[in-house]
Amino acid sequence: MSHARTLWEEGSEPGRQVIVLGLACTLTAVVIDLALGDHLSLFFDLCFVALCLGLALAVRPSDFFTVGVLPPLLMVAVFALLGVVSPGSVAQQGDSLVQAVITGLATHAGALIIGYALCLATLATRQRFLSRSTLTS
């Protein structure tokens, strides 16, 4: 008798695809947010937190480490890109790349902490559930 798969068992995407998906979704949130205003806002933060949770649920178990380190790297990459293209969206218009990244990280630290914590907690829960289900099978 087979049982229905639970939410914790569903993730089956390879790590590389999850990285690309994460980058594409983060950049999409940035574009939408900047179309609505001049700076990244709470919209970006909420999208980032939801994305961190979604990526942790989508990845296959063998690539948990990849997603476990992804949220801070995604945020730094996005702020570095914005620091080159549009520093005024994350910092003052005349700020350097380094200053734009630091200001962006400081401004959106809450979203990074919450998203990263949710990501790691989800991965830990999935790992625990998967190890229990293999012991009972």
Side-chain angles (χ1 to χ4, degrees), residues 33-107:
D33 201 11
L34 291 179
L36 298 173
D38 294 340
H39 285 71
L40 291 182
S41 66
L42 182 61
F43 175 79
F44 170 77
D45 292 344
L46 294 174
C47 289
F48 186 81
V49 169
L51 179 65
C52 289
L53 179 61
L55 295 177
L57 290 170
V59 71
R60 66 182 175 199
S62 62
D63 291 330
F64 277 1
F65 178 79
T66 302
V67 173
V69 299
L70 187 58
L73 297 175
L74 265 179
M75 194 168 271
V76 168
V78 166
F79 292 154
L81 179 65
L82 286 173
V84 170
V85 175
S86 175
S89 62
V90 289
Q92 297 298 320
Q93 188 59 41
D95 285 350
S96 68
L97 171 65
V98 173
Q99 185 62 40
V101 171
I102 291 171
T103 302
L105 288 173
T107 304

Side-chain angles (χ1 to χ4, degrees), residues 13-33:
E13 296 298 321
R16 289 179 188 224
Q17 288 182 3
V18 173
I19 291 170
V20 172
L21 175 66
L23 190 56
C25 289
T26 305
L27 291 175
T28 301
V30 167
V31 168
I32 292 170
D33 201 11

